[in-house]
Amino acid sequence: MSTENELFRAVDALLEQVAQDDLPDPAERKRLREAAGLSQAQIATALDARREAVGNWETGRTEPRPPKRAAYARLLEGLAARFPAPAADAPPATLRPPVVPEAFTGPVQVPERVPAPAAVPASRPKTEASSTTRPAPSSRRPGAKKAVAKKTTAAAAVDPRFENGPLAVVDADADGLVSAYCVGGLVLDVPAKSIPALVDWTLAEARLGQARLHRNGRDADPILVLTASALERYGLPAALSDQERQAGRLPQGHKVVKQIERAGLQMTQRGFGPWARLYRDPEGSRRRCVQLCILPWNALDVREWDRKDNPVLPTMHPADLARYLGLYAARVTTPRGTTATTGLELMTALRPPTRAEKNTVTGEFERAFNDDALTQLYPVVECEVPDEHPVLKGRFARHHLRTAAEMLMEEPYDWCRPLTDAECANPYLVAIDLNMSFAAAANGLVVGLNGPTHLTNPRFDASMPGSWLVDLSHVDLSRVDTGGHTVDGDRLPSPFTPKGDRPTGPAWYATPTVAYAVELGFDVAPTEAYVRTQTGRYLDPWYKRLRDAYVETMADMGVTTALTGSEFLDAMARRKQADPTMALLETAVKATAKGGIGKLRQRSRGQVPYYEPYPALNRETWRPDIRAAVLASQRVGIHRKLMKTAAAAGLYPTSIGTDAIVYPSPGPSPLDILPLTPEGKPVPGTFRLGVSPGMVKHQGTQSVLWAEQQFEERGGVVFNISNLIKTDPTAGEGE
């Protein structure tokens, strides 16, 4: 015979089961708490939970789990009895559509309440992949919200293969229960007890991934972001040792690596490191690959994904981290590693090298190359490669520094000059900064898609991308007529060298640099060239994708393209306080643009001895000539605006660092220096305030006295102070 206490415990257990789906909607939870005069902290203390968790329950971002769920339901039931809804015709409590960022708005489906099955199938037949399928019910937390589609130009239907989004943040609680936080507030219960089981669960049930960005491309693999608690749950170290960090992976003898091998999973050559890729052999055309992003192992570098001065990702709630990375995936692409790696992968995703083409004879589909993409490796040009490239082995004496006549030196500006006496009369130095300058330089740029053709004494052709050996020492900026005005060439940098020095003889230049000399009205006579005859605007879709991501993210922080002048400056100054998560996304998008261009000429990172082949050289996208063209376009684009500004207002910069330009100013604002027409519009061709790539923003202001003190501290040496003048000290050099 059962005792009374045992009977009560049994009844309480039944009530707890019933309470799994017996919660009012999030808005009603908040109303009941406020009607009772209770704070979120008071409820959190009573339920032994975090205050943030209670806040998430009231917004619908997450749902409480047993045993807290039953206690929370009992509390709400008691409050509802004391504080009934004021209106008799109030709608019944239902699951409401999740409150999600604009990037994920779209048609919302309310999940069905279904009992957990007796067993979860190990795999899912292909025939189940339809618009009505969903992960096994045991994977979805009771009451959790349904994932929703991201917004494109029009509301798109959810791809049933990836209905839960591109990625999930895997976290474990104090009770050892593992959850996968997806975009849109969706939370999945993870039954896997090992890394191999986690991978198989992801492939079979999680429905994570991202549809291809181009019809000839491939779908993005699902990403699992592992938090510190998840590492502990799956037997992984909280941090890599010095030796492991140097190697970039766990040793082969680690127990988790052995588990992976015993399970028949395969890893890429980089092994189990911060970005580990685990896969099984494909099933037909379907890839079976999962990428792990291990947060505590610095997978998301603080310089690219976080705030350098005060990192927030290590303590960010998994739901917030899923929102952040999910927005990046929706607007840019699924992260593939560093932002530089992701930027390069985005180029390939938008310009796939191959496509399926039907053979008219056999009727079979075969691989064919796309004309607008980078499709294969070509011979390199000696002047275009970095110093450690194998093609230079034995060419120069040890420690030889190649000259501009031996090496293509297309780099951003790093230039400065002393202030004149008249400029010292100004109280301020104002630094302006170009938005997404490298991405903007890639817009509309014609680049070579095939291998080089060597020419001797060619006639310069601006439509032929490549490298030209030409003498530009005769170009005198003071002789340039800019609409009836002449400029002081001594106070402007040369457009042909990164240091701003005037060339002294023949040197290698990319096509945009030589074309600018012709634009200024000077004759050019190349003696040698390496050109590409198959051309195209390879980077255009890449630029447009990043431009839209940047502009949309800035708009989420209140900085829109409609703002001008002081409105724009005010919005920029308060944007990071408006939405800190969007501020992180802004940093990541800018780093993706800058890093993607840099990856086109990735250098050896010490993997192999000098002059030995390194892995990056095996990529079709290792194209130093394209990087040189972008950087040349960026530099001459800045110089073109410098000339227009000097001609229109007699303003000359004192230093330039990458894309930051410093001007002496009578006032502390860019509005005090940027020239305007009598109608109050920016002078055509000059720097213009705005949020779009290629326009400028305020980087910072310092006094002229401050600059003089900086020079005196260095023995009177004038150095480049452009990147020291920052309102935001966490901003990087260049974008």
Side-chain angles (χ1 to χ4, degrees):
M1 178 74 71
S2 299
T3 66
E4 181 177 302
N5 287 337
E6 290 173 339
L7 291 172
F8 281 163
R9 282 197 295 270
V11 170
D12 286 342
L14 288 175
L15 289 173
E16 183 176 327
Q17 293 179 20
V18 173
Q20 299 307 303
D21 290 318
D22 195 24
L23 290 178
D25 68 279
E28 177 66 6
R29 302 170 200 176
K30 181 178 180 180
R31 186 195 72 80
L32 291 172
R33 176 182 60 78
E34 292 177 343
L38 298 174
S39 67
Q40 292 180 348
Q42 288 176 296
I43 294 179
T45 301
L47 298 179
D48 192 22
R50 296 185 303 123
R51 185 198 62 77
E52 293 82 2
V54 176
N56 289 336
W57 299 344
E58 291 185 354
T59 60
R61 178 175 291 172
T62 60
E63 293 290 324
R65 295 195 301 181
K68 295 182 177 64
R69 185 180 179 87
Y72 188 47
R74 181 167 297 184
L75 170 66
L76 295 176
E77 183 181 359
L79 294 177
R82 294 191 182 190
F83 307 99
D89 57 348
T94 59
L95 283 175
R96 304 197 325 165
V99 180
V100 296
E102 186 180 2
F104 295 108
T105 55
V108 178
Q109 302 175 12
V110 178
E112 300 176 1
R113 301 192 184 280
V114 290
V120 179
S123 61
R124 184 181 300 274
K126 292 183 180 179
T127 55
E128 293 187 16
S130 67
S131 59
T132 59
T133 59
R134 63 191 62 208
S138 63
S139 294
R140 188 180 302 281
R141 176 176 301 169
K145 299 186 297 299
K146 181 78 172 177
V148 295
K150 70 175 184 178
K151 187 183 76 172
T152 56
T153 52
V158 178
D159 188 325
R161 300 172 301 158
F162 313 125
E163 63 176 345
N164 294 334
L167 52 86
V169 179
V170 180
D171 186 64
D173 63 15
D175 299 325
L177 298 175
V178 182
S179 303
Y181 293 80
C182 308
V183 299
L186 174 68
V187 184
L188 302 178
D189 285 328
V190 181
K193 301 186 184 306
S194 67
I195 289 294
L198 178 65
V199 172
D200 289 337
W201 171 82
T202 304
L203 295 173
E205 298 182 37
R207 295 201 181 278
L208 296 172
Q210 187 176 38
R212 65 196 69 186
L213 298 179
H214 188 283
R215 67 179 184 276
N216 294 325
R218 71 183 188 193
D219 300 326
D221 298 321
I223 303 288
L224 298 181
V225 182
L226 303 186
T227 64
S229 61
L231 294 189
E232 181 181 0
R233 176 66 180 81
Y234 290 118
L236 291 165
L240 295 176
S241 67
D242 292 341
Q243 185 177 2
E244 292 167 347
R245 189 163 50 250
Q246 185 175 5
R249 70 193 72 181
L250 291 178
Q252 284 296 113
H254 194 277
K255 63 179 182 179
V256 173
V257 176
K258 291 182 177 179
Q259 288 177 357
I260 293 170
E261 293 173 347
R262 287 196 298 269
L265 285 168
Q266 302 177 61
M267 289 186 291
T268 58
Q269 290 184 352
R270 63 184 175 186
F272 199 99
W275 287 91
R277 191 178 289 275
L278 309 179
Y279 63 96
R280 296 190 183 278
D281 292 334
E283 288 183 348
S285 61
R286 176 175 170 264
R287 286 167 57 89
R288 296 194 296 166
C289 182
V290 175
Q291 185 152 14
L292 304 181
C293 168
I294 303 180
L295 189 61
W297 295 1
N298 198 36
L300 299 176
D301 193 296
V302 67
R303 296 167 297 179
E304 304 171 345
W305 300 96
D306 206 348
R307 295 204 302 252
K308 290 187 293 186
D309 60 329
N310 183 24
V312 297
L313 293 189
T315 57
M316 184 179 285
H317 190 279
D320 294 328
L321 184 57
R323 172 185 179 244
Y324 168 35
L325 297 179
L327 277 169
Y328 180 89
R331 294 178 180 178
V332 182
T333 188
T334 302
R336 312 289 175 86
T338 64
T339 52
T341 297
T342 305
L344 191 69
E345 291 288 335
L346 179 62
M347 294 180 194
T348 304
L350 295 169
R351 294 285 201 194
T354 61
R355 68 183 187 279
E357 187 173 79
K358 192 172 185 178
N359 188 311
T360 56
V361 177
T362 64
E364 299 291 332
F365 280 95
E366 300 174 347
R367 189 178 71 162
F369 291 109
N370 291 319
D371 294 334
D372 60 356
L374 302 176
T375 58
Q376 55 185 299
L377 295 173
Y378 293 101
V380 297
V381 176
E382 185 178 294
C383 69
E384 295 175 348
V385 301
D387 292 334
E388 68 273 16
H389 196 280
V391 77
L392 299 178
K393 188 173 184 179
R395 284 285 293 113
F396 301 101
R398 186 174 177 83
H399 304 307
H400 172 76
L401 296 178
R402 288 192 288 167
T403 66
E406 297 167 334
M407 179 183 183
L408 182 65
M409 295 184 179
E410 296 288 13
E411 300 292 339
Y413 269 127
D414 180 11
W415 169 83
C416 63
R417 64 169 177 83
L419 277 71
T420 65
D421 292 341
E423 289 170 339
C424 287
N426 289 287
Y428 299 103
L429 292 175
V430 174
I432 56 176
D433 178 83
L434 268 73
N435 302 321
M436 301 272 287
S437 66
F438 296 130
N443 182 30
L445 182 65
V446 176
V447 300
L449 302 178
N450 63 343
T453 298
H454 183 241
L455 303 175
T456 303
N457 295 320
R459 181 176 180 179
F460 176 70
D461 185 347
S463 66
M464 299 290 287
S467 303
W468 307 78
L469 183 61
V470 59
D471 188 351
L472 298 179
S473 60
H474 61 289
V475 177
D476 183 357
L477 299 180
S478 299
R479 292 165 43 202
V480 177
D481 182 5
T482 56
H485 299 85
T486 57
V487 298
D488 184 353
D490 293 334
R491 287 198 284 167
L492 286 176
S494 167
F496 309 126
T497 62
K499 291 295 184 180
D501 302 326
R502 186 167 173 173
T504 57
W508 286 101
Y509 302 102
T511 298
T513 302
V514 185
Y516 185 56
V518 175
E519 178 185 325
L520 293 175
F522 295 89
D523 295 329
V524 296
T527 58
E528 193 177 356
Y530 290 91
V531 299
R532 277 80 180 175
T533 56
Q534 180 186 345
T535 64
R537 295 185 175 183
Y538 174 74
L539 295 172
D540 272 11
W542 179 83
Y543 160 76
K544 292 174 182 176
R545 179 89 175 170
L546 290 173
R547 175 202 62 193
D548 293 347
Y550 178 73
V551 171
E552 188 174 356
T553 300
M554 297 300 285
D556 287 339
M557 293 186 286
V559 186
T560 67
T561 55
L563 300 179
T564 58
S566 58
E567 293 178 338
F568 169 75
L569 294 175
D570 292 342
M572 285 294 294
R574 62 174 182 265
R575 73 188 190 283
K576 294 189 177 182
Q577 289 72 38
D579 192 330
T581 300
M582 289 298 169
L584 297 181
L585 186 58
E586 175 197 351
T587 300
V589 172
K590 293 191 295 187
T592 303
K594 180 180 179 181
I597 296 300
K599 273 282 188 177
L600 292 169
R601 196 197 67 163
Q602 180 176 333
R603 304 193 65 172
S604 173
R605 294 173 294 185
Q607 307 106 311
V608 298
Y610 225 59
Y611 297 133
E612 293 299 320
Y614 51 94
L617 302 182
N618 296 322
R619 295 195 319 253
E620 292 84 357
T621 50
W622 194 84
R623 290 295 299 269
D625 58 299
I626 296 180
R627 173 190 177 273
V630 173
L631 268 58
S633 177
Q634 186 259 8
R635 194 182 64 249
V636 301
I638 289 178
H639 195 275
R640 190 178 286 111
K641 288 182 169 62
L642 296 177
M643 293 282 286
K644 292 286 187 181
T645 303
L651 289 173
Y652 294 87
T654 64
S655 60
I656 306 174
T658 306
D659 51 16
I661 303 102
V662 178
Y663 279 106
S665 172
S669 169
L671 297 175
D672 297 314
I673 55 172
L674 298 181
L676 301 175
T677 64
E679 295 76 26
K681 303 289 185 180
V683 174
T686 62
F687 297 105
R688 179 177 180 178
L689 285 173
V691 71
S692 298
M695 301 175 77
V696 300
K697 58 181 177 290
H698 185 206
Q699 177 170 285
T701 298
Q702 284 286 2
S703 67
V704 171
L705 179 60
W706 170 88
E708 295 296 338
Q709 290 173 342
Q710 298 296 314
F711 300 152
E712 289 177 5
E713 290 176 2
R714 289 162 176 79
V717 176
V718 177
F719 70 101
N720 195 339
I721 59 174
S722 57
N723 284 307
L724 297 180
I725 304 177
K726 293 179 180 178
T727 301
D728 178 9
T730 65
E733 294 185 12
E735 298 179 358

